[in-house]
Amino acid sequence: KQEVTQIPAALSVPEGENLVLNCSFTDSAIYNLQWFRQDPGKGLTSLLLIQSSQREQTSGRLNASLDKSSGRSTLYIAASQPGDSATYLCAVRHATDSWGKLQFGAGTQVVVTP
Amino acid sequence: GAVVSQHPSRVICKSGTSVKIECRSLDFQATTMFWYRQFPKQSLMLMATSNEGSKATYEQGVEKDKFLINHASLTLSTLTVTSAHPEDSSFYICSARDWTSSPPKNIQYFGAGTRLSVL
């Protein structure tokens, strides 16, 4: 059974520092991996999607890497801002799941202080 | 980008009543929709997968008679919490998979969630 773990569970950094969020998964047979942002009491906003054949994806200040063989993904957020404060979730889709179910990690709660 | 609309955003009800939550894909057809439940400071737990025109598939431990799912059209799925009790209080989130675009995007788009409080 796939297990998705995110470390750390919480992170607080001063504005301007780079953020590094880790996600690990136990079954490397994934179709893709997705990073989401969730603000308190809100739904999810998709940040980046990495297909299993890709090594990384970039969008603005965000960069996500994927090492499928070791079961790890890292989300980097450059030059953090207070507006980046949120919970970040990673989720994987199994390679053989035709319905596309996502298995989520518990998330990393990020606070960026001014 | 694609939009998934979820209503209501918040509902407070008395114990024993039933509550219906709607999930609509606004600008794409969603043959598959997912319903998740999230407890405070915990991750999303998949409750069920609904496919248009067929019965939903429930995850282990989810009571299908308690959480009724109907996916009657390509743009609408509903979750009904029957005879709700305080332990059903939670944050419910739906997502819809865009599988009909050309080429298929196979990306899930999420609703804003519904906060259910059962008194």
Side-chain angles (χ1 to χ4, degrees):
Chain A
K1 180 188 172 187
Q2 178 74 276
E3 291 188 8
V4 182
T5 305
Q6 290 189 247
I7 295 173
L11 184 62
S12 180
V13 298
E15 182 177 3
E17 272 199 16
N18 298 329
L19 287 163
V20 180
L21 310 178
N22 298 299
C23 172
S24 62
F25 45 95
T26 55
D27 186 347
S28 62
I30 65 169
Y31 185 84
N32 56 33
L33 182 146
Q34 202 163 355
W35 282 94
F36 295 90
R37 169 188 173 135
Q38 184 177 30
D39 293 289
K42 304 290 185 182
L44 275 65
T45 301
S46 179
L47 298 174
L48 291 167
L49 175 91
I50 311 177
Q51 301 294 350
S52 62
S53 58
Q54 297 177 317
R55 299 281 296 183
E56 68 176 348
Q57 277 286 335
T58 298
S59 176
R61 295 184 294 113
L62 276 61
N63 174 276
S65 65
L66 174 64
D67 184 342
K68 199 174 68 165
S69 60
S70 65
R72 288 185 297 188
S73 177
T74 302
L75 177 67
Y76 301 89
I77 303 178
S80 62
Q81 304 169 358
D84 294 328
S85 299
T87 296
Y88 291 83
L89 299 165
C90 73
V92 299
R93 178 190 161 193
H94 195 273
T96 60
D97 187 343
S98 60
W99 285 345
K101 291 187 295 186
L102 291 175
Q103 180 84 30
F104 281 86
T108 295
Q109 187 175 14
V110 171
V111 174
V112 180
T113 56
Chain B
V3 176
V4 173
S5 174
Q6 187 174 340
H7 290 283
S9 59
R10 170 125 197 186
V11 58
I12 301 172
C13 68
K14 293 182 179 180
S15 184
T17 60
S18 294
V19 175
K20 180 184 282 188
I21 303 170
E22 291 189 349
C23 181
R24 294 180 184 271
S25 57
L26 296 186
D27 49 4
F28 65 98
Q29 293 181 330
T31 54
T32 303
M33 290 186 174
F34 303 90
W35 288 95
Y36 295 86
R37 183 173 181 175
Q38 186 178 35
F39 290 105
K41 296 193 182 298
Q42 295 187 27
S43 189
L44 279 72
M45 298 301 296
L46 180 65
M47 298 174 65
T49 302
S50 78
N51 290 293
E52 186 266 338
S54 64
K55 290 183 178 181
T57 300
Y58 290 81
E59 295 299 300
Q60 194 172 8
V62 178
E63 301 175 58
K64 58 183 66 177
D65 294 330
K66 174 74 160 176
F67 300 99
L68 300 179
I69 292 171
N70 184 281
H71 193 160
S73 77
L74 286 171
T75 59
L76 174 64
S77 175
T78 61
L79 167 68
T80 301
V81 183
T82 63
S83 187
H85 291 285
E87 59 265 29
D88 298 322
S89 299
S90 189
F91 192 58
Y92 294 86
I93 304 178
C94 73
S95 73
R97 195 177 78 165
D98 181 359
W99 193 234
T100 56
S101 299
S102 181
K105 295 186 176 67
N106 198 16
I107 295 175
Q108 284 189 35
Y109 298 95
F110 285 78
T114 297
R115 172 77 57 196
L116 172 62
S117 300
V118 184
L119 305 177

